[in-house]
């Protein structure tokens, strides 16, 4: 028997090639698993080629490592056949592990096929020696080598299948698995080599014509390394590209999500906005149509939010709105929708078991808002007016429902705020009436339906008239005399207040000029300015023009602005007020005590007069708090060097009290109602005659 020997260097190299081929195979299965379309086939074919060459070259280098005391060579055709067998069985293995699932029977079958393939490659490769006489194989060892081939293939397939997805540390796992798989392949090879016995006198039939000679091992090794490296490099680069594409796709998805969030939510509170709300209402409506039941739409509007916003600034206002949103959510279930659809307007959509449940929920929401809010060290008190529309019943479309809930909310506001109202059909006609009113208001100026009434102001100490406040009246063609409270709001909202206010200013100055000529040169005519007029750029100019047109000294005119207006945009107000004051116009802070004033600011304000709000005067006799407030306002005004006027004086007791406190002038029904100019003068003349008599 010929005794064979091994070159240890080539054995080690064959082991390294086996490990590298295994690693390449594992990496490629990962590629195939994530590839799409026809790239799957490309990767499988390329992978089969690279891996087949790897496995085969391990085997071939292992053969080259084997030495016999005779010359050896390898038949080219049979060798190529063994290479083809390796490539085919590797292709099969790659295809198998790239399937979505790998049940046990499939794994077992795959292991058999692949084991058989590798064994076939090996024994075909051995046959390429073309030994004469034939190689004598030890059946036990051959059996063992077959078992090892099938077992190693099974393990390799299973590992490749498990490690094909990208996961943390996958490279590390693949390295470990490649080492194990490499050892198994090498083990199979050398076991089957051990099974081969070469009888004495054997000679190698391929020694002369076949592949042989020095350098063959290097050639095979270098070619294999090149193929494996190219396959690995391509795979790694492609994986990078894929990862980057995945990252890109992820950030796109994220950006999309953010955009949707922005488009459908209110950025301040994070609540759904009007668009999303409309969609939810539609959904709720179809649900009710399919499954029955009912839902309520509640329009929640905050009372007293604007003064807070004006007095403390927008940041504080925003903070308050956020707190309101949190509080309104407190009581809700996750299937309810709370949306913010405007400045201080929220809408709540709730599914109800019974329509009556809306009542208790609305009451709870009103109660939640009525509790004071602590925002940036301030305790703020606001309330909410809630209008409720029910579905089915109060509207056919989402828009109808919203409009009706809105109308009901206005009703709640009209009936004293801090409460709720259910919608009923009469409210809708109210809304229609408002619209009609707006149209009428547009024509009122042209058709000369406005007039001014004058209410006298008297010196508190000597009872002498000191001037009058001009109060706007609208003689409506069908509704009769309308008071400002019924139309100033609409005029403000639509901007009509600007031309109307200009008319008032002009008319009041014209009237004052008449009185001035009649000798009442020390009187002042007071004109009310609304917030919008006050912010309007042309105000100072209009005032100057009215004064010059009617040849009036500037201090014959008092401009009344409410405390809230004066405090709203403190810096801007200050500029306008300073310009007016520089002109010599007298300035009065109306309805004082109803807003939030900053003392610091009040001190710097170039005002001449404070008008105590008639609300305090009304309750003076019964409410000791109000009495305390009035005396505090008087003291404050005196300290700041301002004239104090009390409005709404209706009783002698109020008159005495206010006079004793130190008010400078008084105004109210007790002393004179607002009247048209002629009747106003009749009263004045009558009083003058009484004084003379
Ligand atoms: P205001 O400036 O506080 O005017 C005083 C209001 O109190 C007037 O109501 C007057 O009729 C009423 N009043 C006077 N004495 C008494 C009294 O003893 N008891 C009671 N309960 N009320 C009294 P009016 O004329 O309805 O005006 C309401 C508000 O409309 C005014 O409040 C003012 O803010 C606004 N306004 C009136 N005319 C104009 C105007 O020409 N332009 C602007 N922008 N607003 C105006
Ligand atoms: Mg006034
Ligand atoms: Mg007032």
């Amino acid at each position: 028997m010929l005794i064979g020997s091994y070159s240890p260097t080539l054995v080690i190299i064959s082991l390294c090639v086996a490990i590298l081929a295994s690693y390449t195979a594992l990496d490629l299965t990962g590629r195939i698993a994530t590839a799409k379309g026809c790239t799957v086939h490309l990767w499988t074919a390329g992978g089969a080629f690279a891996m087949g060459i790897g496995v085969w070259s391990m085997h071939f280098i292992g053969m080259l490592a084997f030495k016999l005391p005779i010359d050896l060579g390898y038949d080219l055709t049979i060798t190529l056949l063994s290479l083809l067998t390796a490539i085919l069985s590797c292709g099969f293995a790659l295809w198998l592990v790239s399937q979505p699932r790998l049940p046990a029977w499939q794994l077992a079958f795959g292991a058999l096929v692949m084991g058989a393939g590798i064994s076939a490659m090996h024994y075909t490769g051995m046959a390429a020696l073309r030994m004469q006489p034939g190689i004598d194989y030890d059946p036990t060892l051959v059996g063992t080598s077959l078992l090892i081939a099938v077992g190693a293939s099974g393990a390799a397939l299973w590992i490749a299948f498990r490690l094909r997805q990208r996961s943390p540390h996958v490279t590390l796992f693949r390295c470990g698995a490649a080492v194990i798989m490499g050892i198994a392949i090498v083990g199979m090879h050398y076991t089957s080599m051990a099974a081969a016995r070469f009888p004495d006198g054997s000679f190698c039939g391929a020694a002369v014509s076949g592949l042989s000679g020095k350098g063959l091992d290097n050639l095979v090794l270098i070619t294999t390394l090149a193929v494996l490296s190219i396959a690995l490099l391509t795979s790694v680069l492609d994986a990078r590209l894929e990862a980057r594409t995945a990252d890109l796709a992820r950030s796109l998805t994220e950006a999309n999500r953010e955009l949707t969030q922005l488009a459908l939510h209110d950025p301040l509170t994070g609540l759904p906005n009007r668009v999303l709300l409309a969609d939810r209402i539609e959904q709720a409506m179809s649900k009710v149509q399919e499954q029955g039941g009912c839902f309520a739409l509640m329009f929640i509007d905050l009372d007293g939010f604007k003064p807070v916003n004006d007095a403390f600034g927008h940041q504080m206002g925003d903070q308050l709105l956020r707190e309101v949103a949190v509080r309104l959510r407190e009581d809700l279930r996750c299937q309810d929708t709370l949306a913010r659809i405007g400045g201080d307007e929220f809408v709540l959509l709730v599914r109800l078991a019974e329509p009556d449940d809306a009542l208790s929920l609305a009451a709870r929401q009103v109660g939640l808002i009525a509790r004071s809010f602590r925002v940036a060290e301030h305790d703020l008190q606001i309330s909410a007016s809630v209008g409720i529309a029910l579905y089915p019943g109060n509207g056919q479309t989402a828009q109808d429902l919203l409009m009706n809930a809105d109308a009901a909310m206005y009703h709640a506001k009209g009936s004293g705020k801090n409460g709720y109202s259910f919608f009923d059909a009469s409210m809708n006609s109210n809304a229609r009436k408002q619209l009609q009113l707006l149209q009428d208001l547009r024509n009122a100026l042209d058709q000369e339906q406005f007039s001014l009434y004058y209410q006298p102001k008297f010196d508190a100490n000597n009872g002498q008239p000191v001037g009058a406040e001009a109060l706007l009246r609208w003689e409506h063609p069908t509704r009769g005399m309308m008071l400002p409270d019924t139309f100033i709001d609409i005029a403000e909202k639509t901007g009509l207040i600007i031309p109307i206010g200009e008319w008032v200013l002009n008319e009041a100055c014209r009237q004052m000029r008449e009185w001035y000529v009649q000798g009442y040169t020390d009187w002042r005519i007071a004109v009310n300015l609304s917030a919008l007029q006050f912010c309007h750029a042309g105000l100072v100019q209009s005032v100057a023009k009215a004064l010059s047109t009617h040849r009036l000294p500037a201090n014959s005119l008092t401009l009344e602005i409410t405390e809230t207006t004066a405090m709203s945009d403190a810096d801007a107000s200050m500029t306008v007020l300073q310009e007016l004051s520089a002109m010599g116009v007298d300035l009065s802070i109306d309805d004082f005590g109803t807003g939030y004033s900053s003392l610091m600011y009040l001190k710097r304000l170039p005002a001449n007069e404070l008008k105590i709000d008639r609300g305090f005067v009304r309750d003076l006799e019964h409410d000791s708090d109000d009495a305390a407030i009035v005396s505090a306002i008087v003291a404050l005004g005196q300290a700041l060097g301002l004239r104090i006027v009390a409005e709404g004086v209706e009783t002698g007791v109020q008159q005495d009290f206010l006079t004793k406190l130190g008010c400078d002038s008084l105004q109210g029904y007790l002393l004179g109602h607002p009247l048209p100019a002629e009747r106003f003068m009749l009263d004045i003349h009558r009083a003058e005659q009484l004084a003379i008599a």
Side-chain angles (χ1 to χ4, degrees):
M1 199 138 82
L2 297 177
I3 304 297
S5 68
Y6 286 97
S7 145
T9 327
L10 284 179
V11 170
I12 290 173
I13 289 176
S14 74
L15 176 65
C16 292
V17 169
I19 293 175
L20 188 62
S22 304
Y23 185 84
T24 311
L26 289 175
D27 197 74
L28 289 174
T29 44
R31 236 47 325 281
I32 296 168
T34 52
K36 287 178 188 76
C38 52
T39 40
V40 176
H41 306 300
L42 269 175
W43 275 117
T44 314
F49 182 70
M51 197 181 148
I53 288 195
V55 172
W56 173 84
S57 88
M58 173 272 132
H59 145 85
F60 195 70
I61 292 170
M63 299 265 286
L64 292 176
F66 182 67
K67 300 262 171 1
L68 278 179
I70 52 171
D71 279 347
L72 292 179
Y74 301 90
D75 183 281
L76 182 63
T77 321
I78 304 179
T79 301
L80 286 178
L81 194 67
S82 82
L83 174 60
L84 189 68
T85 319
I87 291 176
L88 287 179
S89 43
C90 285
F92 168 76
L94 283 177
W95 170 79
L96 191 71
V97 295
S98 62
Q99 297 309 302
R101 281 175 316 119
L102 187 61
W105 69 266
Q106 215 164 314
L107 179 67
F109 175 70
L112 270 178
V113 174
M114 195 180 160
I118 288 178
S119 306
M121 167 201 76
H122 178 80
Y123 290 104
T124 315
M126 291 289 274
L129 284 170
R130 302 234 323 257
M131 293 305 288
Q132 294 291 336
I135 304 171
D136 176 20
Y137 283 109
D138 172 347
T140 326
L141 282 176
V142 169
T144 314
S145 82
L146 289 179
L147 276 181
I148 294 179
V150 173
S153 299
L157 288 174
W158 185 76
I159 292 173
F161 184 77
R162 298 308 303 265
L163 290 185
R164 61 190 189 152
Q165 297 300 359
R166 286 217 137 260
S167 58
H169 312 303
V170 73
T171 316
L172 204 69
F173 285 129
R174 280 186 189 158
C175 287
V179 172
I180 297 172
M181 277 164 68
I183 292 175
I185 294 171
V186 168
M188 178 265 153
H189 175 84
Y190 290 104
T191 313
S192 56
M193 287 297 280
R197 280 178 305 219
F198 300 89
D200 281 328
S202 297
F203 76 93
C204 174
V208 185
S209 59
L211 297 167
S212 65
K214 272 208 151 295
L216 190 61
D217 46 359
N218 285 340
L219 183 71
V220 171
L221 180 65
I222 288 169
T223 317
T224 309
L225 285 183
V227 170
L228 289 179
S229 313
I230 289 170
L232 254 181
L233 204 69
T234 320
S235 165
V236 167
L237 288 181
D238 188 67
R240 287 243 174 102
L241 197 74
E242 195 184 84
R244 203 161 321 141
T245 316
D247 276 350
L248 216 69
R250 205 170 315 118
S251 54
L252 247 168
T253 318
E254 178 68 9
N256 254 329
R257 206 188 52 72
E258 266 171 34
L259 263 176
T260 325
Q261 165 81 14
L262 274 181
L264 297 180
H265 291 82
D266 159 45
L268 180 68
T269 57
L271 294 177
N273 63 11
R274 197 181 271 279
V275 182
L276 186 54
L277 174 71
D279 186 61
R280 297 265 169 93
I281 299 176
E282 303 279 355
Q283 278 177 23
M285 280 166 48
S286 19
K287 208 162 180 184
V288 167
Q289 279 155 18
E290 282 162 20
Q291 308 169 0
C294 60
F295 69 83
L297 202 64
M298 302 193 182
F299 204 111
I300 305 171
D301 189 281
L302 303 182
D303 315 314
F305 171 73
K306 197 176 172 312
V308 172
N309 207 27
D310 290 344
F312 295 104
H314 292 287
Q315 257 185 352
M316 187 97 148
D318 286 355
Q319 186 61 30
L320 178 60
L321 285 174
R322 266 184 235 122
E323 303 269 332
V324 167
V326 170
R327 211 178 271 181
L328 285 174
R329 274 234 70 105
E330 237 171 53
D331 206 27
L332 302 180
R333 299 155 301 175
C334 54
Q335 69 264 36
D336 300 334
T337 299
L338 176 68
R340 175 167 172 250
I341 61 166
D344 58 353
E345 296 168 339
F346 296 83
V347 172
L348 180 58
L349 168 72
V350 271
R351 246 188 108 78
L352 303 170
E354 293 287 325
D356 283 351
D357 294 348
L359 194 136
S360 52
L361 180 62
R364 277 205 304 277
Q365 298 287 353
V366 169
L368 282 175
I369 300 304
R371 277 185 2 229
S372 80
F373 286 86
R374 181 127 190 106
V375 179
E377 315 278 291
H378 292 277
D379 279 318
L380 301 175
Q381 193 71 50
I382 53 170
S383 60
S385 298
V386 179
I388 309 164
L390 295 172
Y391 185 88
N394 294 161
Q396 299 293 330
T397 64
Q399 206 182 356
D400 281 356
L401 282 172
L402 256 178
M403 247 170 54
N404 291 343
D406 189 22
M409 183 279 290
Y410 269 106
H411 188 261
K413 263 207 198 297
S415 21
K417 304 181 176 171
N418 193 26
Y420 56 88
S421 286
F422 279 89
F423 171 78
D424 83 67
S426 69
M427 293 173 185
N428 229 340
S429 64
N430 277 346
R432 227 164 285 134
K433 269 189 209 146
Q434 285 290 95
L435 204 68
Q436 184 60 49
L437 198 66
L438 171 62
Q439 254 139 28
D440 297 345
L441 193 60
R442 289 190 204 282
N443 300 325
L445 254 189
D446 290 342
Q447 304 188 349
E448 298 183 357
Q449 292 166 354
F450 289 119
S451 63
L452 288 185
Y453 275 37
Y454 299 91
Q455 185 177 33
K457 290 184 186 179
F458 296 93
D459 186 302
N461 295 309
N462 60 24
Q464 287 298 311
V466 294
E469 177 173 8
L471 295 162
L472 184 59
R473 297 294 180 262
W474 177 17
E475 186 61 51
H476 188 278
T478 53
R479 293 204 214 170
M481 175 71 80
M482 312 251 308
L483 292 175
D485 287 340
T486 56
F487 62 85
I488 289 284
D489 256 6
I490 323 178
E492 270 251 313
K493 275 189 191 143
T494 52
L496 280 172
I497 193 69
I498 301 293
I500 296 177
E502 208 140 307
W503 178 85
V504 172
L505 190 63
N506 228 5
E507 174 60 16
C509 287
R510 191 199 58 72
Q511 182 59 61
M512 183 59 215
R513 175 67 195 177
E514 259 181 38
W515 292 333
Y516 193 85
V517 173
Q518 286 169 26
Y520 300 103
T521 50
D522 54 349
W523 279 12
R524 284 200 186 94
I525 186 81
V527 170
N528 292 286
L529 289 186
S530 82
L532 194 72
Q533 274 175 286
F534 188 61
C535 301
H536 193 249
L539 175 69
V540 178
Q541 224 179 357
S542 305
V543 172
K545 190 162 163 249
L547 288 173
S548 75
T549 309
H550 300 289
R551 283 170 290 135
L552 270 186
N555 77 341
S556 301
L557 177 66
T558 300
L559 293 177
E560 293 191 2
I561 51 167
T562 64
E563 183 186 18
T564 315
T565 307
M567 300 295 154
S568 64
D569 184 350
D571 292 331
S573 316
M574 187 68 86
T575 321
V576 178
L577 288 175
Q578 264 158 357
E579 279 180 89
L580 291 170
S581 160
M583 220 193 271
V585 176
D586 193 74
L587 297 169
S588 173
I589 309 292
D590 204 352
D591 301 345
F592 192 80
T594 53
Y596 293 88
S597 276
S598 132
L599 263 188
M600 276 297 294
Y601 177 62
L602 199 61
K603 209 175 95 188
R604 285 167 42 218
L605 217 58
N608 311 83
E609 184 181 278
L610 281 189
K611 272 184 106 169
I612 303 172
D613 187 67
R614 60 179 181 276
F616 298 116
V617 175
R618 183 184 57 217
D619 297 330
L620 212 53
E621 292 160 46
H622 320 288
D623 190 333
S624 59
D625 278 353
D626 279 357
I629 291 173
V630 171
S631 48
I633 294 178
V634 173
L636 173 75
Q638 285 171 343
L640 294 174
L642 301 172
R643 293 197 310 270
I644 312 293
V645 182
E647 62 178 349
V649 183
E650 292 182 353
T651 67
V653 178
Q654 291 167 348
Q655 182 183 20
D656 288 346
F657 187 90
L658 292 161
T659 309
K660 281 207 194 85
L661 272 185
C663 286
D664 298 285
S665 344
L666 304 177
Q667 178 186 351
Y669 293 165
L670 176 73
L671 310 163
H673 281 262
L675 291 171
E678 306 92 76
R679 282 169 57 199
F680 169 87
M681 280 318 278
L682 277 181
D683 280 0
I684 294 286
H685 290 144
R686 199 175 302 138
E688 281 168 350
Q689 261 145 24
L690 274 180
I692 297 166

